[in-house]
Amino acid sequence: MANVELHIANELLDHFETIRPHLDGCETGRRPSPTAMGVTILDMQMDGAPEQAKTMEVVLHLIDGQPKINAIHYWDKHGIFLAPVVPFPRKVN
């Protein structure tokens, strides 16, 4: 589990509310961005995030007018992209 920031344009907050139940985590806070007008920073606790993650990006696709999660990307505190954690099935002999 990692505490990460999600920066989202204010006009997209309604779409976020639609997909929030499908995220593997919860929102712990919300504040306006100090550097970008029209952007809200959501503080999230994400269960599936790498521990070193500090920021995240949710990639959405509109399907029949409804937003669907296509991917979630994470970056560390230096802005380095973190590869998604993919569980590999255990081979049984």
Side-chain angles (χ1 to χ4, degrees):
M1 177 184 296
N3 294 316
V4 297
E5 290 184 351
L6 172 61
H7 297 233
I8 189 165
N10 292 340
E11 63 266 12
L12 298 177
L13 284 173
D14 288 341
H15 288 304
F16 176 76
E17 298 301 332
T18 303
I19 60 132
R20 184 194 338 217
H22 305 288
L23 291 174
D24 191 20
C26 63
E27 181 181 336
T28 59
R30 191 178 280 213
R31 63 190 185 282
S33 172
T35 58
M37 302 248 336
V39 173
T40 297
I41 300 172
L42 306 178
D43 296 315
M44 305 289 296
Q45 273 188 341
M46 297 299 293
D47 293 332
E51 291 205 16
Q52 65 271 37
K54 295 298 176 198
T55 59
M56 67 182 282
E57 167 186 73
V58 179
V59 180
L60 302 175
H61 281 153
L62 288 177
I63 299 175
D64 296 328
Q66 295 296 316
K68 303 290 182 196
I69 299 171
N70 188 46
I72 299 176
H73 302 146
Y74 295 100
W75 286 267
D76 71 5
K77 67 181 179 180
H78 303 291
I80 297 172
F81 177 74
L82 301 171
V85 177
V86 179
F88 291 100
R90 188 174 277 178
K91 186 174 182 178
V92 178
N93 293 330

